């Protein structure tokens, strides 16, 4: 069993989003226990919430993790590129995913 979500190594290329870029969440994101002060399973970000890229890091030497500042919620949540869509450059993409404006029904644990 592999710990990786896929065989794609995003770190081989540049980040999909830039610092300060306005993005929208494509999924609900729940606390997986790594977000201090909230219960496990609490929804941290709702599908359609808008935020700004505050930081860019990496996870498992494979994925970019974007620290998204959800100003209306008052906190920053780490998210993968596939969980986001740019509002500043909508034609730029979401890490190789379909560009149609649609949202996954899957809820992500964070």
């Amino acid at each position: 069993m592999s710990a990786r979500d896929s065989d794609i190594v995003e770190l081989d290329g540049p980040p999909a989003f830039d610092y300060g870029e306005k993005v929208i969440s494509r999924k609900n994101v729940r606390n997986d226990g790594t977000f201090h002060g909230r219960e496990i399973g609490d929804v941290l970000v709702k599908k359609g919430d808008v935020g700004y890229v505050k930081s860019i890091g990496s996870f498992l030497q494979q994925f970019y993790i974007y620290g998204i500042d959800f100003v209306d919620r008052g906190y920053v949540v780490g998210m993968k590129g596939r969980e986001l869509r740019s509002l500043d450059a909508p034609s730029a993409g979401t890490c190789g995913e379909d560009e149609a404006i649609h949202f996954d029904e899957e809820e992500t644990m964070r």
Side-chain angles (χ1 to χ4, degrees):
M1 182 172 158
S2 175
R4 294 180 179 231
D5 288 346
S6 72
D7 293 330
I8 296 170
V9 178
E10 292 177 6
L11 301 181
D12 286 344
F17 305 101
D18 292 323
Y19 292 99
E21 190 166 344
K22 187 175 183 179
V23 294
I24 188 169
S25 175
R26 296 170 55 100
K27 298 181 177 186
N28 290 330
V29 177
R30 295 179 177 270
N31 185 13
D32 65 357
T34 59
F35 193 93
H36 182 70
R38 298 288 297 272
E39 294 293 322
I40 293 174
D42 282 356
V43 174
L44 300 174
V45 177
K46 292 184 179 180
K47 189 171 24 176
D49 282 353
V50 174
Y52 299 87
V53 178
K54 183 173 184 169
S55 64
I56 302 172
S58 64
F59 179 66
L60 296 177
Q61 299 177 350
Q62 180 182 11
F63 300 104
Y64 284 107
I65 296 295
Y66 302 90
I68 307 300
D69 188 354
F70 291 96
V71 179
D72 292 345
R73 291 191 172 272
Y75 48 76
V76 176
V77 175
M79 298 180 70
K80 291 182 179 177
R82 68 175 183 225
E83 298 172 321
L84 301 165
R85 183 173 57 85
S86 177
L87 292 177
D88 285 342
S91 63
T94 55
C95 299
E97 291 201 10
D98 180 39
E99 279 311 297
I101 299 175
H102 69 280
F103 293 112
D104 256 323
E105 292 304 319
E106 173 186 325
E107 291 189 355
T108 303
M109 294 293 285
R110 178 78 47 242

